Amino acid sequence: MPDGIEAELRCDFQRATEEQMQIAIVYDSQMGHTAKQAQSVAEGVGLVPGAEARLLPVTDGIPWDYLETCDAIIFGSPTFNGSLSARLKQFMEDSSKPAYVTKAWRNKIAAGFANSGAPSGDKLSTLISMALFAAQHAMIWVGVDQFASLSREEDNYLGGWLGAMAQSNYLEPPELSPGAPDLRTAVKLGKRVAEIAKFFQAGRAALQPA
């Protein structure tokens, strides 16, 4: 690559990474455990310079106009009967008119996290539902880039790659569950989503006419 073009691309990347990125975390939480996971995802987003996370519990109403401006949307849900919570599913159905029909989320980064009471809890099904939802919106899905651990004390011990998984003892308050390894996995997912969103932001800047 000629030196002039390479230098120009570096400038485009630097300019793009100085711009603020908006990353929405849309989630449902019944007893506070999944909300704690969502907070860890937001913490990970905040580790990337220029990235700002906004927590959006579905019970507070959905700012559709704001979501259209976001660089990435991360979905989160507890797992009930092997699937999404009813409230997150309602959010998905409600997105048809403001986002699906107009492809307002096309080429945005997407990711997901899921929580359940049992170590498995069929939460992979919950993540699959999120990934399919994102695909129907023409979004670009990002998973977990970490090997599974054989120790419950290490990150990603539940072995999830499609998204961040967590197990919560529903008899315990959110202050005690989910545990630290699951929360660290959520932090890493948030950070990865923000990093990839930054790459895409830089690419769009480089393609803009001078």
Side-chain angles (χ1 to χ4, degrees), residues 45-177:
V45 170
L47 296 176
V48 177
E52 179 181 347
R54 180 175 173 184
L55 291 164
L56 297 173
V58 293
T59 52
D60 288 356
I62 303 300
W64 299 107
D65 290 343
Y66 168 74
L67 290 180
E68 187 171 348
T69 68
C70 287
D71 297 275
I73 305 174
I74 305 173
F75 310 104
S77 176
T79 300
F80 294 126
N81 300 309
S83 188
L84 302 159
S85 72
R87 292 191 298 218
L88 194 77
K89 184 66 168 63
Q90 187 63 57
F91 153 78
M92 291 179 171
E93 294 180 6
D94 291 345
S95 73
S96 295
K97 184 175 182 180
Y100 175 75
V101 173
T102 60
K103 285 291 180 282
W105 300 347
R106 180 177 180 272
N107 291 339
K108 291 185 186 296
I109 304 300
F113 57 95
N115 190 15
S116 66
S120 171
D122 291 330
K123 54 182 162 280
L124 177 59
S125 175
T126 303
L127 291 170
I128 290 172
S129 295
M130 294 176 187
L132 287 172
F133 171 73
Q136 291 183 348
H137 277 271
M139 303 176 80
I140 301 167
W141 187 262
V142 172
V144 174
D145 63 344
Q146 184 175 2
F147 288 116
S149 170
L150 298 179
S151 169
R152 290 180 62 89
E153 303 305 316
E154 296 180 3
D155 303 352
N156 200 24
Y157 77 92
L158 290 170
W161 283 273
L162 192 60
M165 293 183 173
Q167 183 219 346
S168 296
N169 182 343
Y170 55 84
L171 298 177
E172 295 180 341
E175 291 76 20
L176 300 178
S177 190

